[in-house]
Amino acid sequence: MFAEASLSIWGWGGLGVVLFLITFGPFAIFYLAFYILCFIGGGFVVLLLFGKINSEKHLERCEHSFLPSTQMAILKVLEEIKSESKPIKIDRRLTGSSIIDEPLQQVIQFALRDYIQYWYYTLSDDETFLLEIRQTVQNALVEFSTRSKEVDWQPYFTTRLVDDFATHLRVFRKAQERLNEREDPKQRDAPDELLDSFFEAEVEMERKICRDVVCTSRKDEEGYLRDLCEVLLYLLLPPGDFHDKNMRYFLREVLARGVLLPLINQLSDPDYINQFIIWMIRDSSCNYEAFLNILKLTDKVAELEAVKDKVLEELQYLRSLDTGADDINFIKNQINSLLFVKKVCETRIQRLQSGKEVDALKLAANFGKLCVIPLEHILVHNIALQFFMDYMQPMGGQAILFFWLTVEGYRVTAQQQLEVLQSSQRDGKRQSSQTTKGLLRAAALGVYDQYLSEKASPRVQVDEASVTRLAQKLNKEDPTPEIFDEIQKKVYDMMLRDERFYPSFKQHPLYVRMLAELDMLKEPSFRGSEDGDGESFNGSPTGSINLSLDDLCSGSVDEYAQLHAFISDTGVCNDHGKTYALYTITVIRKNSDGSEDVWKTYRRYSDFHDFHMRITEQFESLGPILKLPGKKTFNNMDREFLEKRKKDLNAYLQLLLNPEMVKGCPVLIPYVYDFLENKAYSKGKGDFARKVPPLIAKSDIDPEHCRVSAQLDDNVDDNIPLRVMLLLMDEVFDLKERNQWLRRNIKNLLQQLIKATYGDTINRKIVDHVDYMTSPEQVSDYVKRFRDSYWPNGILAETPPRRDKSLRMRTRVAAKTTLLGIMPDELKHIIGAETTRKGILRVFDMFQHQPLNRRLACVFLEGFLETLFPQYKFPELFVKLHSRSPRVLRYSQKLRSLHKR
């Protein structure tokens, strides 16, 4: 039954399908499905529309049931308010100085016009956005101006800026030295190798910072500038403007990519720097001698080719002129000069291309007969004496040379002491002749023991009879300035005649280098002999070396032990327009018979400082014990400050005269007695030396692995601008390469350069110049110059086309020539012509590498921000920004591995 029913269903079903297909056709099934879908879709649409209409009606009923209907008058007022234009008033005051605000407002207007308005008006006519941008910029400038007024810019411009530049130069010099140590010439000349060496030296000095990524990668540099700009906007903008992301990002991009990046690009361009050098020294006349020196010293074939092409162009022009009889001689002279320059260029190009450089050993042969400098002139000329010292040391003659110099110093100092004694006796002043003679005897015995006695090491080898006669004189007679003359003359003859010394020195490469430093290799101007025939050496001798008697003296403790002193009063004096503080010291000396001598002496703080320098230099153990109160550059005449200094100086004197101090250092007493005597204080280190301390003040600092300013003495804080400038000079001309004798006497050399101008005067001039540079008038002039250079006649200047290589190379030569041409002859006489040339060319070469210039611009920018915002942790921020460098990571790993060992 079940099978028959199933067969019946399938049969009738199949019959129905067949009849359906016959009736409606083969595609009827598709039509049926389509009709069903349309039916379902239509139902959903009807439900949607019905629900929407009912929902709106329901919401409208709910709204009217809870809120009263809005009156038509309010709607009308709202429409009028919307249609009414709202005037926005902008305060045009920015810095508080009208002479600055006026050009600055023009700069803002031009910047908005040329960088924003030209594209904004294509999007909208509503000026609200532009006005808000202007208001935001002005708010930032007002905040910037306010903070600038609160900052003392003198330390930045006189110390931080110079220190940053000098440190940058130090790193560059170290990079050059590392390259010169490499054997492969190709590696030494490769720019990439120099950059690697530079940034390796930077990370060794900074330890946690390396700016290689920022200076060599455009993407990283833009990211670095964006980060800085965002921090600046946070500090300068009102909170509402800063938290507006659109406004903040917009200003950040404009400031980073529209202002800072183009400025760094321009300032770091070597060609722009060369043009700026020429413009800065445009008033100086062209030095033909310096020009030829540059051509002979350059190692760039491109520079020589550019000059040669220009010479050929000028020759062609001169030969084409139709001249009369009056001009023919002038034209011929010009042609001959140009032909000579062309020959110099061709010779130098050939030498560079062949790779044959003349070393110091072959230099003398190229000049033929060298000029001869007498020994007597070498001994009194600082530059020549330095080379002679360097020669005498390996030859075993340094002892006799130092003996001769020490005797010269003894003679000069003894004469001065005797003159002071005679002068005081003529004036009726009380001064013990026995004390002076005792000091002279102690000094003479010190010279004898150091160089001539049997225990001297090394001992000056002269005939024993002369030494015996000298010993007898020292025992029986009062020493005179001429007591060593006999032996000194024999020592001089030994240096002059002995083949090991002066005669061989004239054949040594050091002699040739000495002539180069004296600038006497070009055209020998002296052809005399050591006997005095010929012209005299017209160098720039600075006199003998002054050896202070106090360096060798010793005194009796009993004679000075009962000495007491205290500062009883202080006042302010004015001498020829110079104001200084004067301290009255009351001195009490108890004599052996019970009587007392009381007197007053007057000393300036500079006298205290000079005295402190003398004793701490002679007795190094006193340095940690005696602390002289520091100086103050500004407001040092304030009454409260003078009273505090009086108290500190009193404490200094009491510690100095403490019985335990006297017992522990008895040889110190003659110095103290001389300082407290009622007489004009004779500065043992010299006035210039007091004002300009040694260039390296901290012996425990490795100068090659620290910033230049780290060498400043913390105990002395006056005259910082001048002292930092001297450190810069030390770095530019690499005076550390000189022997220690010359470095100890560098103060005398610099004194010759500035012609005995006091350091206070120079320091004051530097400070006054900084004040002038930061005055409102000068700032206004800077803004005007910026405006006129970027918008001449109110129109945005076009980007100048890149100058061709030949013109850039000629600009390099012109810039180097200009720099060498302005170097004073006095400087060449002091540190040497060759050293001067090398120093100037080192500075010039440093500016010819754009990545390094970008690094210097970043350093200046960071120093500026640290000075402007001292209360914020900008140094830590810079460490975070620059510590991403792979070099910092490698250096840190290297240090950790060394510590583990």
Side-chain angles (χ1 to χ4, degrees):
M1 289 294 294
F2 179 78
E4 291 179 358
S6 175
L7 181 62
S8 175
I9 293 172
W10 279 105
W12 285 106
L15 180 61
V17 171
V18 172
L19 292 175
F20 178 83
L21 293 176
I22 293 173
T23 305
F24 298 102
F27 299 99
I29 188 66
F30 298 102
Y31 293 137
L32 179 62
F34 176 73
Y35 296 151
I36 294 173
L37 289 176
C38 289
F39 176 78
I40 295 173
F44 276 111
V45 172
V46 171
L47 289 175
L48 180 63
L49 292 176
F50 179 79
K52 179 177 180 299
I53 294 172
N54 283 281
S55 298
E56 290 176 352
K57 290 180 179 181
H58 177 72
L59 291 175
E60 186 176 356
R61 286 196 302 270
C62 292
E63 182 180 359
H64 286 283
S65 63
F66 293 103
L67 296 176
S69 59
T70 305
Q71 300 178 6
M72 296 299 295
I74 297 178
L75 293 176
K76 186 175 182 180
V77 171
L78 290 175
E79 292 177 359
E80 290 179 356
I81 292 176
K82 292 180 180 178
S83 62
E84 182 180 355
S85 60
K86 296 184 296 182
I88 300 179
K89 295 182 179 180
I90 296 180
D91 190 353
R92 299 180 64 86
R93 293 174 298 179
L94 298 174
T95 64
S97 176
S98 58
I99 59 176
I100 300 177
D101 291 349
E102 182 180 353
L104 197 56
Q105 286 288 353
Q106 292 179 344
V107 169
I108 296 174
Q109 180 63 38
F110 291 156
L112 291 175
R113 181 195 66 188
D114 295 328
Y115 291 104
I116 298 178
Q117 291 179 2
Y118 83 96
W119 58 263
Y120 177 75
Y121 282 133
T122 62
L123 303 177
S124 174
D125 295 331
D126 186 6
E127 295 188 356
T128 305
F129 175 75
L130 298 176
L131 293 175
E132 290 180 354
I133 285 285
R134 187 186 187 101
Q135 185 64 54
T136 301
V137 172
Q138 291 195 173
N139 290 338
L141 289 174
V142 169
E143 182 66 20
F144 178 83
S145 174
T146 303
R147 289 185 178 270
S148 298
K149 294 175 183 178
E150 297 172 354
V151 174
D152 182 10
W153 289 105
Q154 286 183 356
Y156 172 73
F157 285 107
T158 60
T159 304
R160 176 63 186 267
L161 197 68
V162 182
D163 174 45
D164 287 338
F165 179 81
T167 304
H168 183 82
L169 179 61
R170 169 173 292 178
V171 178
F172 179 77
R173 178 177 54 79
K174 290 179 61 179
Q176 281 189 323
E177 292 173 355
R178 292 182 180 182
L179 285 183
N180 293 334
E181 294 173 357
R182 300 185 181 181
E183 298 180 356
D184 189 357
K186 295 182 179 179
Q187 288 186 347
R188 291 198 298 264
D189 298 335
D192 293 340
E193 294 294 331
L194 177 63
L195 294 180
D196 290 339
S197 298
F198 181 91
F199 289 114
E200 289 292 340
E202 182 192 26
V203 75
E204 291 176 3
M205 181 185 66
E206 299 284 357
R207 298 183 182 274
K208 297 181 180 179
I209 288 179
C210 187
R211 300 174 178 85
D212 56 344
V213 176
V214 172
C215 298
T216 56
S217 170
R218 178 66 176 267
K219 180 179 178 182
D220 290 298
E221 183 182 29
E222 291 180 357
Y224 164 77
L225 293 177
R226 287 192 185 100
D227 292 337
L228 282 187
C229 292
E230 188 140 4
V231 175
L232 280 177
L233 293 176
Y234 172 78
L235 297 175
L236 297 176
L237 291 181
D241 291 339
F242 178 78
H243 291 300
D244 185 350
K245 290 187 177 181
N246 293 330
M247 179 71 71
R248 183 171 81 244
Y249 293 161
F250 179 80
L251 290 179
R252 184 192 68 181
E253 291 300 312
V254 170
L255 187 59
R257 301 190 61 184
V259 178
L260 291 180
L261 188 60
L263 184 62
I264 292 176
N265 289 337
Q266 183 176 23
L267 296 180
S268 62
D269 183 11
D271 188 51
Y272 174 81
I273 295 176
N274 296 336
Q275 295 179 67
F276 185 76
I277 291 173
I278 297 172
W279 178 81
M280 285 288 293
I281 322 175
R282 60 189 180 280
D283 295 333
S284 64
S285 58
C286 182
N287 191 318
Y288 183 71
E289 179 182 344
F291 174 66
L292 290 181
N293 282 334
I294 290 299
L295 295 181
K296 295 175 182 178
L297 294 174
T298 184
D299 56 353
K300 303 294 183 183
V301 176
E303 294 180 5
L304 297 167
E305 292 285 358
V307 173
K308 179 184 172 183
D309 292 342
K310 189 64 177 178
V311 167
L312 294 176
E313 181 182 336
E314 290 294 322
L315 284 173
Q316 185 177 3
Y317 169 74
L318 291 175
R319 287 167 177 167
S320 65
L321 293 177
D322 186 9
T323 59
D326 296 337
D327 298 333
I328 188 66
N329 292 329
F330 176 74
I331 298 298
K332 285 184 177 179
N333 290 335
Q334 283 189 311
I335 291 177
N336 290 334
S337 298
L338 291 173
L339 289 175
F340 180 73
V341 172
K342 174 176 172 290
K343 181 64 177 177
V344 171
C345 292
E346 291 175 344
T347 303
R348 184 63 180 166
I349 291 173
Q350 183 180 4
R351 181 175 296 170
L352 290 173
Q353 292 178 342
S354 63
K356 296 179 180 179
E357 284 295 321
V358 180
D359 57 17
L361 295 176
K362 300 178 181 178
L363 190 60
N366 294 337
F367 287 91
K369 185 179 179 181
L370 297 173
C371 58
V372 178
I373 302 179
L375 178 61
E376 58 182 303
H377 288 108
I378 291 178
L379 294 176
V380 297
H381 191 282
N382 285 287
I383 296 177
L385 183 58
Q386 172 213 340
F387 288 95
F388 191 51
M389 281 183 178
D390 292 341
Y391 171 78
M392 292 289 280
Q393 182 175 6
M395 301 304 296
Q398 198 170 29
I400 62 174
L401 175 58
F402 279 139
F403 170 77
W404 190 93
L405 295 173
T406 304
V407 170
E408 280 294 297
Y410 166 82
R411 179 188 294 107
V412 173
T413 310
Q415 290 174 350
Q416 293 176 350
Q417 292 288 335
L418 293 177
E419 290 174 0
V420 171
L421 177 62
Q422 294 173 2
S423 176
S424 63
Q425 291 175 349
R426 285 196 305 268
D427 297 340
K429 296 181 180 179
R430 181 178 178 179
Q431 174 143 351
S432 174
S433 61
Q434 293 300 322
T435 300
T436 301
K437 292 178 181 179
L439 295 177
L440 289 176
R441 181 179 300 279
L445 288 174
V447 175
Y448 176 84
D449 292 339
Q450 184 176 358
Y451 294 103
L452 299 174
S453 65
E454 294 183 356
K455 62 181 180 181
S457 179
R459 187 185 183 193
V460 176
Q461 299 297 328
V462 292
D463 61 285
E464 292 296 332
S466 299
V467 176
T468 302
R469 285 194 297 270
L470 175 62
Q472 292 174 352
K473 289 182 180 180
L474 290 174
N475 290 329
K476 297 179 181 180
E477 304 175 6
D478 291 333
T480 64
E482 299 80 16
I483 194 170
F484 291 101
D485 282 4
E486 179 186 357
I487 297 181
Q488 186 189 26
K489 186 178 184 304
K490 292 184 177 182
V491 168
Y492 178 85
D493 291 338
M494 184 189 308
M495 291 188 292
L496 181 66
R497 308 297 179 188
D498 196 319
E499 285 296 328
R500 297 175 298 165
F501 303 139
Y502 177 67
S504 298
F505 174 63
K506 293 186 293 183
Q507 310 299 324
H508 198 271
L510 282 173
Y511 185 81
V512 181
R513 295 176 184 171
M514 180 190 72
L515 294 179
E517 290 288 7
L518 298 175
D519 211 16
M520 300 180 70
L521 282 181
K522 305 170 299 179
E523 297 176 0
S525 57
F526 185 94
R527 296 191 179 277
S529 65
E530 61 272 22
D531 297 328
D533 299 333
E535 305 175 16
S536 62
F537 172 60
N538 59 351
S540 165
T542 57
S544 305
I545 306 169
N546 292 328
L547 175 67
S548 175
L549 280 173
D550 295 333
D551 294 349
L552 302 172
C553 72
S554 61
S556 171
V557 179
D558 295 333
E559 183 179 359
Y560 306 108
Q562 301 300 316
L563 198 64
H564 304 279
F566 61 92
I567 300 177
S568 56
D569 196 11
T570 181
V572 178
C573 301
N574 189 289
D575 185 14
H576 299 288
K578 185 175 182 180
T579 304
Y580 57 89
L582 197 65
Y583 299 90
T584 303
I585 305 176
T586 301
V587 186
I588 304 172
R589 182 180 62 188
K590 293 184 178 181
N591 300 319
S592 56
D593 57 359
S595 62
E596 290 184 353
D597 294 329
V598 182
W599 68 87
K600 294 182 183 293
T601 188
Y602 302 91
R603 295 289 181 259
R604 298 172 55 183
Y605 178 85
S606 58
D607 300 330
F608 276 95
H609 180 249
D610 186 274
F611 169 74
H612 180 77
M613 290 176 64
R614 291 175 59 190
I615 61 176
T616 53
E617 184 176 285
Q618 291 297 319
F619 311 103
E620 296 181 357
S621 59
L622 296 179
I625 302 174
L626 292 174
K627 295 296 182 183
L628 188 70
K631 290 188 178 182
K632 187 178 181 182
T633 306
F634 307 107
N635 300 323
N636 53 8
M637 295 294 111
D638 182 76
R639 190 66 193 175
E640 182 179 352
F641 172 77
L642 291 179
E643 287 298 323
K644 181 180 182 301
R645 174 172 283 179
K646 172 186 171 182
K647 179 180 179 181
D648 295 338
L649 290 177
N650 255 325
Y652 179 84
L653 278 178
Q654 301 316 310
L655 179 61
L656 195 64
L657 296 173
N658 186 286
E660 296 298 324
M661 177 77 75
V662 173
K663 186 182 300 184
C665 190
V667 292
L668 174 65
I669 298 304
Y671 292 82
V672 179
Y673 184 81
D674 180 69
F675 177 74
L676 295 177
E677 274 196 294
N678 184 16
K679 64 177 183 178
Y681 178 63
S682 176
K683 297 181 175 61
K685 290 188 69 63
D687 194 54
F688 188 81
R690 171 183 57 80
K691 296 172 182 296
V692 185
L695 297 183
I696 301 300
K698 294 184 178 180
S699 59
D700 58 337
I701 294 177
D702 184 0
E704 296 301 307
H705 293 86
C706 66
R707 296 182 64 87
V708 172
S709 62
Q711 301 165 233
L712 291 174
D713 192 351
D714 295 334
N715 295 328
V716 184
D717 57 3
D718 75 323
N719 291 336
I720 292 295
L722 175 61
R723 291 162 59 207
V724 176
M725 291 296 292
L726 294 178
L727 288 172
L728 173 61
M729 181 179 177
D730 190 7
E731 202 61 42
V732 169
F733 300 108
D734 200 12
L735 299 180
K736 294 177 289 298
E737 292 298 317
R738 303 303 186 89
N739 58 40
Q740 292 302 312
W741 178 87
L742 181 62
R743 289 183 58 75
R744 286 196 300 267
N745 289 275
I746 191 67
K747 53 184 179 293
N748 297 325
L749 306 177
L750 295 175
Q751 184 178 19
Q752 178 186 352
L753 173 63
I754 62 177
K755 299 179 180 178
T757 303
Y758 289 155
D760 287 341
T761 304
I762 299 178
N763 186 77
R764 190 163 53 251
K765 288 181 178 179
I766 295 175
V767 172
D768 292 343
H769 186 65
V770 172
D771 289 337
Y772 170 73
M773 289 173 57
T774 55
S775 64
E777 293 78 12
Q778 284 301 110
V779 173
S780 174
D781 186 62
Y782 302 150
V783 177
K784 290 177 181 178
R785 289 177 181 271
F786 174 79
R787 177 198 63 192
D788 295 338
S789 62
Y790 274 79
W791 291 278
N793 299 321
I795 302 174
L796 183 64
E798 297 181 357
T799 303
R802 182 173 175 80
R803 308 195 316 160
D804 63 89
K805 182 179 180 180
S806 178
L807 183 57
R808 286 186 281 117
M809 291 298 104
R810 290 200 299 272
T811 304
R812 282 171 56 106
V813 175
K816 285 192 284 187
T817 303
T818 306
L819 284 174
L820 279 186
I822 65 168
M823 287 297 105
D825 292 336
E826 291 84 358
L827 182 63
K828 297 177 183 178
H829 293 160
I830 289 173
I831 63 176
E834 188 68 18
T835 299
T836 302
R837 280 193 290 266
K838 288 182 178 179
I840 294 301
L841 293 180
R842 180 186 296 115
V843 175
F844 179 84
D845 290 339
M846 181 184 71
F847 284 121
Q848 305 312 307
H849 304 275
Q850 191 164 14
L852 303 188
N853 296 338
R854 304 184 89 88
R855 186 259 179 195
L856 186 59
C858 288
V859 170
F860 286 162
L861 177 60
E862 292 168 7
F864 177 82
L865 294 178
E866 289 180 22
T867 305
L868 185 62
F869 303 100
Q871 69 273 33
Y872 298 105
K873 299 180 180 180
F874 267 99
E876 297 180 9
L877 172 64
F878 296 139
V879 170
K880 292 180 180 179
L881 292 177
H882 296 302
S883 60
R884 307 167 185 169
S885 169
R887 282 190 172 87
V888 175
L889 300 177
R890 290 197 298 267
Y891 184 75
S892 301
Q893 294 173 356
K894 179 181 177 181
L895 289 181
R896 285 194 294 268
S897 62
L898 291 176
H899 288 320
K900 291 180 180 179
R901 294 178 185 176

mmCIF file of all heavy atoms in Angstrom, residues 115 148 193 205 405-406 504 678 706 841 895:
data_model
loop_
_atom_site.group_PDB
_atom_site.id
_atom_site.type_symbol
_atom_site.label_atom_id
_atom_site.label_comp_id
_atom_site.label_asym_id
_atom_site.label_seq_id
_atom_site.Cartn_x
_atom_site.Cartn_y
_atom_site.Cartn_z
ATOM 1 N N TYR A 115 52.056 82.547 1.962
ATOM 2 C CA TYR A 115 52.105 81.139 2.347
ATOM 3 C C TYR A 115 50.750 80.549 2.706
ATOM 4 O O TYR A 115 50.619 79.330 2.768
ATOM 5 C CB TYR A 115 53.074 80.953 3.531
ATOM 6 C CG TYR A 115 54.515 81.176 3.179
ATOM 7 C CD1 TYR A 115 55.169 82.340 3.546
ATOM 8 C CD2 TYR A 115 55.224 80.225 2.452
ATOM 9 C CE1 TYR A 115 56.501 82.561 3.225
ATOM 10 C CE2 TYR A 115 56.550 80.434 2.117
ATOM 11 C CZ TYR A 115 57.183 81.607 2.501
ATOM 12 O OH TYR A 115 58.490 81.809 2.164
ATOM 13 N N SER A 148 62.122 86.547 26.327
ATOM 14 C CA SER A 148 63.431 87.065 25.917
ATOM 15 C C SER A 148 63.881 88.199 26.819
ATOM 16 O O SER A 148 65.073 88.343 27.111
ATOM 17 C CB SER A 148 63.372 87.539 24.470
ATOM 18 O OG SER A 148 63.064 86.463 23.605
ATOM 19 N N GLU A 193 84.281 59.438 4.965
ATOM 20 C CA GLU A 193 85.164 59.020 6.051
ATOM 21 C C GLU A 193 85.330 60.137 7.079
ATOM 22 O O GLU A 193 85.391 59.887 8.284
ATOM 23 C CB GLU A 193 86.541 58.626 5.480
ATOM 24 C CG GLU A 193 86.517 57.397 4.599
ATOM 25 C CD GLU A 193 86.145 56.141 5.381
ATOM 26 O OE1 GLU A 193 86.437 56.096 6.597
ATOM 27 O OE2 GLU A 193 85.584 55.211 4.786
ATOM 28 N N MET A 205 82.795 62.480 22.986
ATOM 29 C CA MET A 205 82.799 63.664 23.828
ATOM 30 C C MET A 205 81.463 63.849 24.545
ATOM 31 O O MET A 205 81.417 64.088 25.748
ATOM 32 C CB MET A 205 83.108 64.902 22.992
ATOM 33 C CG MET A 205 83.169 66.188 23.793
ATOM 34 S SD MET A 205 83.386 67.629 22.747
ATOM 35 C CE MET A 205 81.825 67.621 21.859
ATOM 36 N N LEU A 405 118.426 80.434 30.200
ATOM 37 C CA LEU A 405 117.177 81.171 30.355
ATOM 38 C C LEU A 405 116.914 81.535 31.817
ATOM 39 O O LEU A 405 116.448 82.633 32.129
ATOM 40 C CB LEU A 405 116.012 80.345 29.813
ATOM 41 C CG LEU A 405 116.027 80.073 28.304
ATOM 42 C CD1 LEU A 405 114.921 79.096 27.946
ATOM 43 C CD2 LEU A 405 115.863 81.359 27.519
ATOM 44 N N THR A 406 117.219 80.613 32.737
ATOM 45 C CA THR A 406 117.001 80.879 34.153
ATOM 46 C C THR A 406 117.896 81.997 34.643
ATOM 47 O O THR A 406 117.470 82.868 35.428
ATOM 48 C CB THR A 406 117.240 79.600 34.972
ATOM 49 O OG1 THR A 406 116.399 78.559 34.481
ATOM 50 C CG2 THR A 406 116.942 79.830 36.446
ATOM 51 N N SER A 504 124.248 72.287 14.093
ATOM 52 C CA SER A 504 123.428 71.211 13.533
ATOM 53 C C SER A 504 121.955 71.603 13.452
ATOM 54 O O SER A 504 121.226 71.110 12.574
ATOM 55 C CB SER A 504 123.575 69.943 14.386
ATOM 56 O OG SER A 504 124.906 69.486 14.373
ATOM 57 N N ASN A 678 103.604 97.622 53.475
ATOM 58 C CA ASN A 678 102.995 98.914 53.150
ATOM 59 C C ASN A 678 103.714 99.500 51.927
ATOM 60 O O ASN A 678 104.540 100.409 52.019
ATOM 61 C CB ASN A 678 103.095 99.861 54.349
ATOM 62 C CG ASN A 678 102.373 101.172 54.067
ATOM 63 O OD1 ASN A 678 101.574 101.258 53.145
ATOM 64 N ND2 ASN A 678 102.684 102.190 54.857
ATOM 65 N N CYS A 706 86.276 66.576 26.264
ATOM 66 C CA CYS A 706 85.331 67.415 26.989
ATOM 67 C C CYS A 706 85.090 68.672 26.183
ATOM 68 O O CYS A 706 85.793 68.951 25.211
ATOM 69 C CB CYS A 706 85.872 67.766 28.379
ATOM 70 S SG CYS A 706 87.348 68.803 28.322
ATOM 71 N N LEU A 841 92.857 78.048 7.894
ATOM 72 C CA LEU A 841 92.386 77.104 6.884
ATOM 73 C C LEU A 841 91.624 75.946 7.514
ATOM 74 O O LEU A 841 90.717 75.389 6.883
ATOM 75 C CB LEU A 841 93.582 76.578 6.076
ATOM 76 C CG LEU A 841 94.282 77.624 5.200
ATOM 77 C CD1 LEU A 841 95.446 76.999 4.459
ATOM 78 C CD2 LEU A 841 93.305 78.244 4.215
ATOM 79 N N LEU A 895 81.211 50.817 26.304
ATOM 80 C CA LEU A 895 81.525 51.203 27.681
ATOM 81 C C LEU A 895 81.146 50.100 28.664
ATOM 82 O O LEU A 895 81.890 49.811 29.611
ATOM 83 C CB LEU A 895 80.792 52.500 28.039
ATOM 84 C CG LEU A 895 81.283 53.782 27.367
ATOM 85 C CD1 LEU A 895 80.467 54.979 27.843
ATOM 86 C CD2 LEU A 895 82.766 54.015 27.644
#
